[in-house]
């Protein structure tokens, strides 16, 4: 990718501020994105057969998604070539977004930790003690059929 | 962002008063952009930063609900989510991202015709995305997967309420075809029918028999079993087996098979017991008692016929579960999907808000197509493009989360 451009702040004109990026860069990024999408698909569908653990496939797919997001933001949205104002807008919002998710964890993500037996009786699952074994069995059987 | 410049031409005293008495005209405001980009782009980026938080909240909530779920989250095939459609849509959005970038490049180079072409390509690709989304939504709706009752057929638990709902639904179907038969007859005798009426009558008769069979072998027999067997685990197995017949979930396949295999040996004893009970009734016993005893025998018999043991034609739908009663008979019986309602709520909320953003993008593209897309419009195209890339960005995360996890 092209080196970040030292920006001249005296050019407030919207479209002339970054150096000319050749179309070939966008086309190259497009192919990388398509390839990464295929990689996600393969990991998601065949990851378990390839001997990866479920958690590892999740991590790999999220990693691929972040890479794709990075490419789109940097290249297609031109943020790579923008002046430092880009940090002002993106960093605080991203932090707030992340904190927002973390704030949900104690009450929502960990809600099961404090379930009473009565609450479990009304949960959508059939038998909490069996959930893990059933889930593992279903995962392996559902992937046998592909 | 605005810098005050005191007008040097004014007498010093007046200039001082200018800030005290708020009189207009004494202060000249000069615009000094704080950011080295045009106003439109600043606004667009401010808007996008709110959008980042909006979608981060939605996606984050989904992640937290999905991984903190009590029990099992529905697998994609349980709810008619087909991976390849999601991958296709991802690819379509990537293509459209490139085409809008190329539209901007052409516009900058003052190639308005080429820019217009790429804008059109983007619009078409966006429409393809929404079209695929529509097909996907339809496959959910046609199987009774909606985010909300009363249209949603999803029951989260395999319990007596599920069996009762199934019984009621089948009774409704029974009633519907009994009435249809009566309508076709119009007071005539069955033997007087000919031609179309005859065929229609036979069909209604066949359906009536089918649904009566399903009612007996399914909910009736299951309720019988539940009332007679106090073993909670076995009761649950019986209901899950019933739910599996209506709408098979792969994860229950082995459990259902072993349960059904186990029950085969018991039919002979059950039937004998039921027959003895009927014979044991006094001659003058209430008609209802006799009917209940007869129903019991019928249910046990129906359980051993094809209507229960038959598995449709056994074929598995493309990327979905095996064929159940709902598919085989083209009906909408209540279905059992643990956490299915939570799944439907999150899926339709996430994809719905995303689709809404796509729709807004398409409107913007359509409006742009009415303009001359030359270098003067490059700023506008860039802003619309930024918005569109953001829509693509959201989908990049939704695709693995909704289709592959």
């Amino acid at each position: 990718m092209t080196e970040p451009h030292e920006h001249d702040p005296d050019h407030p004109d919207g479209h002339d501020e970054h150096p000319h990026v050749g179309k070939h860069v966008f086309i190259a990024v497009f192919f990388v994105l398509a390839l990464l999408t295929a990689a996600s698909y393969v990991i998601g569908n065949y990851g378990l057969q390839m001997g990866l653990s479920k958690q590892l496939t999740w991590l790999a797919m999220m990693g691929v998604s972040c890479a794709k997001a990075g490419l789109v933001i940097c290249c297609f949205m031109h943020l790579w070539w923008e002046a430092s104002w880009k940090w002002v807008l993106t960093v605080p919002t991203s932090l707030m977004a992340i904190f927002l998710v973390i704030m949900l964890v104690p009450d929502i993500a960990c809600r099961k930790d404090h379930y009473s037996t009565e609450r479990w009786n009304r949960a959508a699952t059939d038998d909490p003690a069996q959930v893990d074994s059933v889930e593992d069995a279903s995962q392996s059987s559902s992937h046998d059929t592909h | 962002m605005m810098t005050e410049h005191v007008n040097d031409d004014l007498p010093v005293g007046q200039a001082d008063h200018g800030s005290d008495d708020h009189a207009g005209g004494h202060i000249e405001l000069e615009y000094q952009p704080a950011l080295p980009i045009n106003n439109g782009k600043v606004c667009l980026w401010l808007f996008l930063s709110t959008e980042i938080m909006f979608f981060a909240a939605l996606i984050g909530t989904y992640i937290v609900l999905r991984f903190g779920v009590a029990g099992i989250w529905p697998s994609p095939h349980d709810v008619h989510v087909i991976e390849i459609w999601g991958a296709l849509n991802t690819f379509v959005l990537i293509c459209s991202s490139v085409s809008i970038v190329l539209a901007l490049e052409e516009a900058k180079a003052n190639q308005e015709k080429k820019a217009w072409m790429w804008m059109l390509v983007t619009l078409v690709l966006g429409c393809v995305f929404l079209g695929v989304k529509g097909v996907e939504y339809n496959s959910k709706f046609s199987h009774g997967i909606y985010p909300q009752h009363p249209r949603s057929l999803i029951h989260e638990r395999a319990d007596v309420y599920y069996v009762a709902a199934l019984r009621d639904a089948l009774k409704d179907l029974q009633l519907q075809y009994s009435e249809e038969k009566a309508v076709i007859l119009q007071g005539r005798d069955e033997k007087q029918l000919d031609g179309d009426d005859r065929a229609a009558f036979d069909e209604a008769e066949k359906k009536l028999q089918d649904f009566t069979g399903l009612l007996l072998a399914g909910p009736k027999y299951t309720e019988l079993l539940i009332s007679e067997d106090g073993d909670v685990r076995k009761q649950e197995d019986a209901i899950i087996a019933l739910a599996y017949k209506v709408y098979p979930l792969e994860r229950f396949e082995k459990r259902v098979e072993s349960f059904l295999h186990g029950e085969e040996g018991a039919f002979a004893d059950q039937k004998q017991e039921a027959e003895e009970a009927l014979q044991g009734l006094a001659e003058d016993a209430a008609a209802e008692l006799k009917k209940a005893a007869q129903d019991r025998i019928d249910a046990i018999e129906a359980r051993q016929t094809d209507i229960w043991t038959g598995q449709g034609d056994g074929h598995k739908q493309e990327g979905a579960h095996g064929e159940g009663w709902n598919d085989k008979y083209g009906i909408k019986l209540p279905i059992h999907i643990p956490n299915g309602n939570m799944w439907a709520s999150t899926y339709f909320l996430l994809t719905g808000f995303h689709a809404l953003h796509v729709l807004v993008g398409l409107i913007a593209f359509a409006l742009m197509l009415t303009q001359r897309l030359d270098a003067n419009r490059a700023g506008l195209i860039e802003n619309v493009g930024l918005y569109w890339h953001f829509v693509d960005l959201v989908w990049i995360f939704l695709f693995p989360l909704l289709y592959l996890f």
Side-chain angles (χ1 to χ4, degrees):
Chain A
M1 196 173 281
T2 324
E3 280 299 305
H5 171 66
E6 270 308 309
H7 186 77
D8 181 4
D10 290 337
H11 278 276
D13 228 348
H15 36 91
D16 269 333
E17 75 236 34
H18 20 78
H20 185 73
V21 186
K23 281 180 210 162
H24 61 275
V25 175
F26 297 123
I27 302 293
V29 169
F30 161 74
F31 280 112
V32 174
L33 287 175
L35 224 83
L36 287 174
T37 305
S40 275
Y41 182 78
V42 170
I43 295 169
N45 278 306
Y46 305 104
L48 294 180
Q49 287 168 352
M50 294 188 298
L52 300 176
S53 73
K54 207 164 47 180
Q55 285 77 5
L56 206 60
T57 63
W58 290 343
L59 201 68
M61 284 187 283
M62 276 296 101
V64 168
S65 285
C66 289
K68 282 165 72 179
L71 280 175
V72 170
I73 291 170
C74 290
C75 184
F76 288 169
M77 295 173 99
H78 305 129
L79 268 196
W80 185 264
W81 301 283
E82 298 288 4
S84 49
W85 62 264
K86 62 189 172 188
W87 306 115
V88 180
L89 281 180
T90 51
V91 172
T93 49
S94 304
L95 283 179
M96 278 184 74
I98 291 166
F99 284 139
L100 197 137
V101 176
I102 294 173
M103 280 190 289
L104 290 169
V105 170
D107 279 350
I108 312 292
C110 301
R111 66 193 185 282
K112 281 185 309 178
D113 300 356
H114 310 288
Y115 268 17
S116 59
T117 315
E118 280 197 335
R119 181 63 188 84
W120 269 118
N121 288 341
R122 282 160 184 76
T125 182
D126 302 292
D127 185 357
Q130 299 232 336
V131 166
D132 291 334
S133 57
V134 172
E135 196 171 18
D136 289 343
S138 83
Q139 282 293 334
S140 57
S141 72
S142 74
H143 283 272
D144 288 346
T145 57
H146 280 294
Chain B
M1 285 190 193
M2 300 288 195
T3 318
E4 284 189 19
H5 281 262
V6 178
N7 196 329
D8 295 338
D9 296 333
L10 286 171
V12 175
Q14 251 183 310
D16 285 339
H17 283 295
S19 54
D20 289 332
D21 61 18
H22 307 286
H26 295 221
I27 293 170
E28 192 180 288
L29 298 175
E30 187 180 306
Y31 177 68
Q32 292 226 329
L35 296 180
I37 48 176
N38 63 42
N39 286 349
K41 200 163 154 183
V42 173
C43 288
L44 204 276
W45 267 107
L46 280 173
F47 170 67
L48 286 188
S49 59
T50 65
E51 290 277 83
I52 291 173
M53 289 187 279
F54 175 73
F55 275 103
L58 285 181
I59 294 174
T61 311
Y62 170 78
I63 291 174
V64 163
L65 288 172
R66 156 81 174 78
F67 291 98
V69 71
I72 309 156
W73 193 254
S75 80
H77 292 180
D78 290 350
V79 280
H80 294 268
V81 166
I82 299 166
E83 293 93 336
I84 196 71
W85 285 108
L88 176 76
N89 254 356
T90 312
F91 183 69
V92 167
L93 273 195
I94 291 173
C95 290
S96 72
S97 264
V98 178
S99 62
I100 191 81
V101 163
L102 293 178
L104 174 61
E105 291 298 308
E106 298 296 354
K108 276 185 191 167
N110 240 339
Q111 300 279 338
E112 56 182 278
K113 282 214 174 92
K114 282 184 182 172
W116 193 88
M117 254 284 302
W118 284 118
M119 189 63 82
L120 184 69
V121 169
T122 316
L123 178 68
V124 169
L125 288 170
C127 291
V128 170
F129 179 90
L130 279 192
V132 172
K133 204 81 235 145
V135 170
E136 287 187 296
Y137 271 23
N138 187 47
S139 78
K140 273 126 205 122
F141 293 158
S142 66
H143 288 88
I145 300 169
Y146 284 90
Q148 204 183 348
H149 291 284
R151 283 178 180 276
S152 168
L153 300 176
I154 300 171
H155 280 243
E156 300 237 328
R157 289 176 59 82
D159 53 15
V160 285
Y161 301 108
Y162 173 70
V163 184
L166 208 55
R167 167 165 40 78
D168 289 346
L170 281 165
K171 276 190 172 168
D172 284 349
L173 282 167
Q174 250 189 336
L175 191 68
Q176 182 191 329
Y177 284 99
S178 308
E179 280 171 0
E180 200 174 308
K181 268 171 67 179
V183 168
I184 296 167
L185 281 175
Q186 287 171 327
R188 287 175 290 177
D189 188 75
E190 197 184 315
K191 285 167 191 152
Q192 294 172 307
L193 293 176
D194 51 6
D196 289 349
D197 281 352
R198 178 84 249 171
F201 182 84
D202 285 349
E203 192 166 324
E205 177 67 34
K206 171 86 175 52
K207 294 247 164 138
L208 186 60
Q209 276 176 14
D210 281 346
F211 297 138
T212 307
L214 293 181
L215 179 65
L216 286 169
K220 287 276 188 190
Y221 181 86
T222 308
E223 284 180 334
L224 202 70
L225 208 70
I226 292 171
S227 65
E228 286 172 2
D229 199 322
D231 181 352
V232 178
R233 182 76 187 171
K234 204 169 164 197
Q235 291 178 346
E236 210 172 69
D237 280 347
I239 302 172
I240 284 180
L242 176 60
Y244 186 83
K245 290 283 178 182
V246 178
Y247 187 90
L249 297 185
E250 243 170 336
R251 76 171 72 113
F252 291 128
E253 193 175 354
K254 282 174 191 149
R255 188 167 165 186
V256 169
E257 263 172 22
S258 79
F259 169 76
L260 292 180
H261 186 70
E263 80 169 8
E264 277 167 17
F267 287 135
D269 286 347
Q270 279 177 351
K271 197 178 170 190
Q272 196 186 350
E273 204 179 297
E275 277 168 348
E276 278 166 9
L278 180 63
Q279 282 158 8
L281 285 174
E283 277 294 314
D284 56 348
E288 284 153 20
L289 278 179
K290 285 182 179 167
K291 188 176 177 301
Q294 185 58 49
D295 276 358
R296 196 172 155 196
I297 298 173
D298 291 345
I300 296 167
E301 280 174 352
R303 187 79 163 189
Q304 296 169 76
T305 58
D306 272 357
I307 202 121
W308 174 264
T309 52
Q311 285 272 12
D313 52 6
H315 79 281
K316 290 209 168 171
Q317 298 168 347
E318 180 60 37
H321 52 72
E323 188 186 53
W325 290 353
N326 274 358
D327 289 325
K328 186 178 176 187
Y329 298 99
I331 47 178
K332 291 195 161 183
L333 299 177
I335 55 181
H336 167 232
I337 307 176
N339 289 308
N341 285 324
M342 182 66 92
W343 177 87
S345 299
T346 51
Y347 173 85
F348 286 112
L349 194 75
L350 284 170
T351 56
F353 268 120
H354 181 263
L356 217 58
H357 279 75
V358 172
L359 195 66
V360 170
L362 294 185
I363 293 169
F365 296 146
L367 291 176
M368 298 286 285
L369 285 175
T370 63
Q371 316 248 328
R372 289 168 61 92
L373 301 179
D374 52 18
N376 292 327
R377 295 261 180 255
L380 196 58
I381 298 174
E382 185 179 10
N383 290 345
V384 175
L386 283 172
Y387 171 79
W388 191 248
H389 296 311
F390 179 77
V391 172
D392 184 21
L393 209 62
V394 171
W395 186 256
I396 282 174
F397 286 101
L398 289 187
F399 165 59
L401 284 171
L402 294 176
Y403 290 79
L404 302 175
F405 270 36

